[in-house]
Amino acid sequence: MEISSASMAGLAALAVAWLWIWRFLKWVWLKPKILESRLRRQGLVGTHYTPLVGDVRRNFSMIKEARSKPINLTDDITPRVLPFPLTMLKTHGKTFFTWLGPIPAITITNPEQIKEVFNKVYDFEKPHTFPLARLIATGLANYDGDKWAKHRKIINPAFHLEKIKNMVPAFYQSCSEIVGEWERLVSDKGSSCEVDVWPWLVNMTADVISRTAFGSSYREGQRIFQLQAELAQLIVQAFRKAYIPGWRYLPTKSNRRMKEIDREIRAILSGIIGKREKAREGPNNDLLGILLESNSGQSKGNGMSLEEVMEECKLFYFAGQETTSVLLVWTMVLLSQHQDWQARAREEVMQVLGDKKPDMDSLNQLKVITMIFYEVLRLYPPVVQLNRAVHKEQKLGDLTLPSGVHLSLPIMLIQRDTELWGSDAGEFKPERFKDGISKATRNQVSFLPFGWGPRICIGQNFALIEAKMALALILQRFSFELSPTYIHAPYTVVTIHPQFGAHLVLHKL
Ligand code: HEM
């Protein structure tokens, strides 16, 4: 019997359709159920799988509910910031799994397990659940394996202390401009004035990164960062629909705008880099200059491409700007609430600096301020949670983690755990850091605002020195307290923001 070409085509189409249906069913049902049974057989507890969406909807509705009302200053902030993980922790205990769409995510809080995950950078990789996030920046923070190791090696010199020392004048310039603006606002009103410090601090850290990343091309740098901020907002909105397959390819207004922004950022960046390479200027003290210099010192084939250098520059902004403004804003809120610590910090600044301009050496002498920053980073870690993906079966303590699961490391919950930090874990007590981090943690991996291990934040010294510069200049000129209009409402938009700003009253000293 002969089969016509039309029926052959029909059979082929049917086979392709079945293949797709099979793949879809495997992705949305079979694989999650197999993984779930492997986890439960080991005694792990967790939520039951809802096809496709998992716990995403429940997570979002709990976040929406939590954000609908502010809290009191003395309330625990975790139910507002991480309502779903906290509820799960209370229901299931310290190790459990939930569902990120069809992917099981195992939450771990045990310091020994966390140490192992952070140390084994080749086994526990960065998850790439939301391809849209790559539009923000890929770069070091998103690479794995040998590519990560190569980029980390090239970028490391840019963050050495002697290089940061050269950036201190740029920190001073950006911070003193903002503090000068505050002085004008206060003078206009007499000697005190209410200021929402949050947008000012955001501008301050954006300005610092534009200056330190791009030096002479500072204005173009500013434009890039404005565009990146707009892109981030669009992407945060899109995350909610990101689990719908193919959503990001639809020509919606926001998808089109995201592509436009991406093109403009690339054009400006390649212009700046091209100019630098052509001019063959002497050594530059900005991050881009150090990066290009370190890159050119690599043997052939081991350097970064132009595209990769651009990604790293975009990443500096995302990784470094928002996190540092978040550290500063919660420091100002907590020092408003704890006037005794504000007074101790000012006393130290006056003793070390008087009214002199801070430099690297004097900033390094600010011990009370370091303790305060650590305590703020413990209670309000800008990055509240980190995630890793398992691509090959792995052992972790007693657990056997099958390929395809994720790990969630809830930094904020770990850093507020009373079993690890004592019954006063929720209280602001910077003195716990008086003998350093290892004493405060009793050498456990329980303080991880910058992550831990080989992938620890490359910019942590940069961030702490910048934040010290900002706080020293503020304390030299003002005392501050919470305004009666201040509303306490921490919430996460990638990092922990103050939902209604940070309205403080500044008093000129
Ligand atoms: C208070 C300020 C900051 C906080 C709390 C912070 C937090 C973090 C955390 C938690 C990680 C680890 C991510 C992970 O393991 O998945 C990280 C990595 C990173 N941070 Fe920061 N960061 C801060 C400031 C900065 C600054 C100022 C820069 C650069 C200008 C920067 C650049 C990076 C980069 C490039 C990585 C990726 C490192 C790698 O994967 O090897 N960060 N940061």
Side-chain angles (χ1 to χ4, degrees):
M1 192 176 66
E2 258 184 42
I3 303 175
S4 71
S5 52
S7 31
M8 284 285 280
L11 280 173
L14 202 66
V16 171
W18 271 112
L19 187 69
W20 277 105
I21 292 169
W22 164 244
R23 279 194 180 158
F24 181 73
L25 283 176
K26 197 170 143 196
W27 174 64
V28 85
W29 182 251
L30 214 61
K31 192 172 169 203
K33 292 309 282 181
I34 292 171
L35 289 174
E36 182 174 4
S37 92
R38 287 199 60 187
L39 298 181
R40 289 200 193 277
R41 276 208 306 268
Q42 299 179 54
L44 266 173
V45 284
T47 54
H48 288 280
Y49 174 57
T50 308
L52 195 62
V53 289
D55 292 313
V56 172
R57 249 196 251 141
R58 196 165 153 211
N59 191 0
F60 278 130
S61 74
M62 286 179 87
I63 289 174
K64 198 169 159 200
E65 163 70 20
R67 281 181 192 178
S68 65
K69 39 190 183 297
I71 51 175
N72 292 319
L73 259 173
T74 47
D75 287 349
D76 178 6
I77 67 167
T78 46
R80 196 172 202 279
V81 176
L82 286 174
F84 182 65
L86 182 69
T87 310
M88 292 297 105
L89 191 95
K90 285 185 178 157
T91 315
H92 300 294
K94 288 194 169 177
T95 312
F96 58 87
F97 64 89
T98 55
W99 296 89
L100 191 65
I103 303 167
I106 306 168
T107 296
I108 55 166
T109 53
N110 174 308
E112 278 307 311
Q113 288 180 340
I114 288 169
K115 184 173 169 182
E116 198 174 335
V117 170
F118 279 127
N119 269 337
K120 293 185 173 166
V121 288
Y122 281 79
D123 295 335
F124 298 103
E125 299 192 335
K126 291 291 183 94
H128 301 284
T129 325
F130 301 112
L132 259 180
R134 274 191 224 141
L135 267 186
I136 297 189
T138 53
L140 187 65
N142 298 295
Y143 297 144
D144 287 298
D146 294 340
K147 183 159 187 172
W148 165 77
K150 170 177 135 181
H151 282 236
R152 181 99 191 187
K153 189 171 147 234
I154 300 173
I155 300 167
N156 257 337
F159 291 94
H160 282 166
L161 279 173
E162 74 271 18
K163 298 286 184 195
I164 297 177
K165 192 172 177 173
N166 294 329
M167 296 173 198
V168 168
F171 292 170
Y172 176 78
Q173 197 171 346
S174 303
C175 297
S176 63
E177 271 175 21
I178 300 287
V179 173
E181 295 281 338
W182 288 359
E183 279 184 308
R184 269 188 289 282
L185 287 177
V186 174
S187 300
D188 286 351
K189 297 264 168 162
S191 59
S192 300
C193 173
E194 183 187 306
V195 178
D196 177 4
V197 295
W198 171 235
W200 291 95
L201 295 172
V202 170
N203 283 340
M204 181 193 282
T205 54
D207 204 73
V208 165
I209 205 89
S210 305
R211 257 181 234 284
T212 47
F214 297 117
S216 52
S217 318
Y218 156 72
R219 293 272 165 228
E220 289 118 298
Q222 271 187 323
R223 173 68 188 147
I224 294 175
F225 296 148
Q226 271 165 9
L227 288 165
Q228 273 188 288
E230 186 187 343
L231 188 62
Q233 266 182 0
L234 291 168
I235 287 173
V236 168
Q237 286 161 20
F239 271 156
R240 288 162 190 232
K241 302 191 181 109
Y243 63 90
I244 303 174
W247 178 266
R248 72 197 168 105
Y249 298 110
L250 297 178
T252 60
K253 196 172 157 205
S254 66
N255 282 351
R256 283 202 312 270
R257 179 69 191 137
M258 284 194 258
K259 295 237 164 69
E260 256 169 44
I261 295 178
D262 187 45
R263 271 197 297 272
E264 190 178 341
I265 293 178
R266 277 163 194 284
I268 305 174
L269 269 173
S270 73
I272 301 177
I273 297 172
K275 245 194 305 182
R276 293 273 174 109
E277 286 187 327
K278 244 193 248 146
R280 297 248 167 260
E281 298 157 351
N284 256 298
N285 283 331
D286 55 35
L287 288 171
L288 175 62
I290 304 167
L291 209 71
L292 290 172
E293 194 187 316
S294 168
N295 198 32
S296 66
Q298 303 301 313
S299 56
K300 208 166 183 311
N302 282 331
M304 296 189 282
S305 65
L306 174 68
E307 185 81 7
E308 289 172 338
V309 172
M310 290 202 301
E311 284 306 323
E312 299 300 346
C313 291
K314 281 164 66 183
L315 177 65
F316 290 155
Y317 172 74
F318 267 108
Q321 183 269 324
E322 181 165 320
T323 42
T324 315
S325 54
V326 165
L327 165 61
L328 281 168
V329 79
W330 294 117
T331 302
M332 290 197 76
V333 168
L334 286 165
L335 290 183
S336 298
Q337 202 187 342
H338 300 274
Q339 290 289 332
D340 49 339
W341 280 100
Q342 188 184 139
R344 276 185 72 174
R346 184 172 303 101
E347 208 176 293
E348 180 180 66
V349 168
M350 292 310 180
Q351 229 169 48
V352 174
L353 288 163
D355 52 8
K356 282 203 304 285
K357 191 169 153 177
D359 59 16
M360 183 81 157
D361 290 340
S362 50
L363 293 175
N364 275 335
Q365 290 171 42
L366 300 174
K367 302 293 173 220
V368 173
I369 288 187
T370 307
M371 281 156 58
I372 290 173
F373 281 145
Y374 286 162
E375 185 66 342
V376 176
L377 287 166
R378 185 182 72 80
L379 289 170
Y380 289 74
V383 181
V384 291
Q385 178 163 315
L386 290 175
N387 303 298
R388 291 293 188 265
V390 177
H391 296 302
K392 216 169 58 193
E393 187 171 294
Q394 299 294 341
K395 280 269 183 210
L396 180 66
D398 298 340
L399 296 173
T400 303
L401 305 175
S403 158
V405 303
H406 282 189
L407 291 173
S408 286
L409 298 90
I411 299 182
M412 182 188 256
L413 300 182
I414 296 161
Q415 294 186 163
R416 287 171 167 260
D417 183 344
T418 48
E419 279 176 25
L420 296 171
W421 288 90
S423 54
D424 59 359
E427 291 169 38
F428 179 74
K429 288 190 166 175
E431 67 266 29
R432 62 178 104 234
F433 287 103
K434 72 177 185 327
D435 298 315
I437 294 172
S438 42
K439 275 271 163 53
T441 56
R442 286 171 285 130
N443 287 316
Q444 299 189 89
V445 183
S446 54
F447 180 68
L448 44 153
F450 294 107
W452 206 81
R455 292 201 80 141
I456 197 163
C457 175
I458 205 167
Q460 61 171 318
N461 288 325
F462 180 112
L464 287 172
I465 294 167
E466 174 190 350
K468 279 185 192 172
M469 172 66 81
L471 190 60
L473 294 182
I474 294 168
L475 289 166
Q476 273 177 331
R477 287 159 182 79
F478 307 103
S479 66
F480 45 90
E481 61 185 330
L482 294 174
S483 154
T485 61
Y486 173 78
I487 299 171
H488 197 47
Y491 80 128
T492 33
V493 196
V494 189
T495 55
I496 322 183
H497 289 198
Q499 192 175 348
F500 304 106
H503 295 260
L504 307 185
V505 178
L506 304 181
H507 304 282
K508 203 158 181 237
L509 289 176

